[in-house]
């Protein structure tokens, strides 16, 4: 479905809330701006809840349940008060809100109900475009050889596997290149890369070897955690391969 057809069918929501995530807001704000521009070009108003903070995943993964609950309660409250679908440009953070909040509050009936209510409105960026709005053809054009890295939380946690590929294949001029062992983890894993740097580095180098052998010009993913890890590795190797969030590529192609 094309944007005009989506408008005619009423599939496009008038407004969404953007949960920008810590990594994007603090380190890669340009990715957040690309998400906003893509959605606005489709005719969707984007609101950004100003009181949003971290989703609580770092504390949750480290085993600090009380701290994770405190952050999660705040975010549930903020998102519960906002109207419309919630778009999250990160498989990792989306999985935390959609699936792990329910685990956090499984013994708290009040907050569990609120967590389920918020989770039902949350969508990872590519899934929102393909599954909710029904869009793949968005009029983007970029001439480049693209390799796609499926992040673990997005692919395994959320089950979002084909949606990013559909969007990439629909960009005019893009040559999709399938990576060897493409489903392999990049080795980031948030705290995993800090606690196990040698294992993390080995996993990253295995992934980058496949990327460099692919003859791709760009490496695209939907999680900035993975791209932070992989971009650093490519830089240290002196590689010319460019890394991009999917939203950045679509934004570029829609200019």
């Amino acid at each position: 479905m094309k944007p005009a057809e989506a408008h005619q069918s009423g599939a496009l929501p008038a407004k969404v809330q953007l949960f920008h995530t810590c990594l994007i807001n603090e380190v890669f704000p340009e990715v957040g701006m690309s998400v906003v521009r893509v959605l606005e070009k489709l005719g969707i108003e984007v609101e950004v809840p100003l009181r949003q903070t971290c989703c609580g995943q770092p504390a949750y993964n480290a085993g600090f349940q009380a701290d994770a609950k405190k952050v999660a309660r705040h975010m549930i409250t903020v998102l519960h008060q906002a109207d419309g679908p919630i778009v999250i440009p990160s498989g990792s953070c989306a999985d935390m809100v959609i699936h792990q909040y329910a685990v956090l509050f499984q013994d708290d009936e009040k907050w569990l109900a609120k967590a389920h209510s918020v989770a039902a409105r949350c969508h990872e960026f590519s899934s929102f475009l393909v599954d909710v709005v029904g869009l793949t053809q968005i009029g983007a054009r970029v001439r480049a050889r693209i390799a796609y890295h499926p992040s673990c939380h997005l692919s395994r946690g959320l089950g979002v596997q084909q949606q990013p590929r559909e969007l990439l294949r629909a960009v005019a001029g893009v040559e999709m290149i399938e990576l060897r062992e493409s489903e392999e983890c990049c080795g980031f894993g948030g705290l995993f890369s800090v606690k196990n740097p040698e294992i993390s580095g080995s996993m990253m180098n295995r992934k980058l070897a496949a990327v460099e052998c692919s003859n791709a010009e760009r490496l695209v993913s939907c999680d900035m955690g993975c791209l932070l890890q992989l971009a650093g590795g490519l830089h240290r190797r002196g590689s010319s391969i460019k890394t991009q969030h999917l939203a950045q590529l679509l934004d570029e192609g829609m200019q």
Side-chain angles (χ1 to χ4, degrees):
M1 184 183 292
K2 297 181 180 179
E5 295 171 344
H7 273 296
Q8 293 169 3
S9 69
L12 279 174
K15 179 177 67 177
V16 299
Q17 303 294 328
L18 174 62
F19 179 16
H20 47 54
T21 79
C22 295
L23 200 53
I24 287 177
N25 189 57
E26 305 298 334
V27 185
F28 302 102
E30 64 275 13
V31 175
M33 294 308 298
S34 286
V35 172
V36 171
R37 281 192 293 266
V38 169
L39 294 174
E40 288 183 340
K41 287 169 187 172
L42 296 175
I44 302 172
E45 179 185 354
V46 181
E47 290 187 349
V48 182
L50 297 180
R51 294 178 57 242
Q52 64 179 286
T53 59
C54 175
C55 65
Q57 185 181 107
Y60 178 69
N61 289 344
F64 296 102
Q65 299 283 304
D67 295 307
K69 285 183 177 180
K70 182 177 180 180
V71 177
R73 288 191 192 98
H74 173 77
M75 276 308 306
I76 289 172
T77 300
V78 170
L79 296 176
H80 190 70
Q81 293 172 345
D83 298 324
I86 302 162
V87 177
I88 309 175
S90 162
S92 177
C93 297
D95 180 70
M96 179 66 187
V97 179
I98 294 172
H99 292 145
Q100 308 312 319
Y101 277 6
V103 178
L104 263 180
F105 297 111
Q106 59 185 327
D107 298 322
D108 188 327
E109 185 176 340
K110 173 187 173 182
W111 284 99
L112 180 60
K114 289 185 177 181
H116 281 312
S117 177
V118 168
R121 295 165 48 215
C122 289
H123 311 278
E124 182 274 331
F125 175 69
S126 69
S127 177
F128 174 76
L129 292 179
V130 176
D131 299 330
V132 178
V133 180
L135 289 177
T136 51
Q137 299 291 339
I138 61 176
R141 178 179 294 275
V142 175
R143 186 169 297 280
R145 296 190 300 276
I146 303 292
Y148 170 67
H149 167 64
S151 66
C152 294
H153 280 101
L154 181 69
S155 180
R156 298 177 179 87
L158 295 177
V160 175
Q161 299 175 342
Q162 294 306 315
Q163 296 89 326
R165 290 182 170 93
E166 288 181 32
L167 290 165
L168 286 169
R169 284 194 292 265
V171 176
V174 160
E175 178 187 349
M176 285 289 292
I177 299 174
E178 191 65 27
L179 291 177
R180 182 183 73 234
E181 299 177 338
S182 64
E183 301 299 322
E184 291 285 338
C185 176
C186 70
F188 179 61
L191 293 177
F192 175 81
S193 63
V194 177
K195 293 182 176 181
N196 303 280
E198 294 84 5
I199 299 174
S200 173
S202 177
M203 295 170 71
M204 177 195 68
N205 286 327
R206 178 170 174 156
K207 170 68 70 169
L208 291 182
V211 173
E212 290 182 321
C213 288
S214 72
N215 199 33
E217 297 170 316
R218 305 189 193 187
L219 179 62
V220 174
S221 187
C222 294
D223 273 270
M224 289 313 301
C226 298
L227 290 178
L228 178 69
Q229 165 98 333
L230 296 170
L234 288 169
H235 176 74
R236 289 189 292 274
R237 287 168 173 247
S239 174
S240 62
I241 298 173
K242 179 180 180 180
T243 59
Q244 281 186 306
H245 189 281
L246 173 64
Q248 290 177 296
L249 181 76
L250 297 180
D251 180 28
E252 176 188 344
M254 295 171 75
Q255 297 292 333

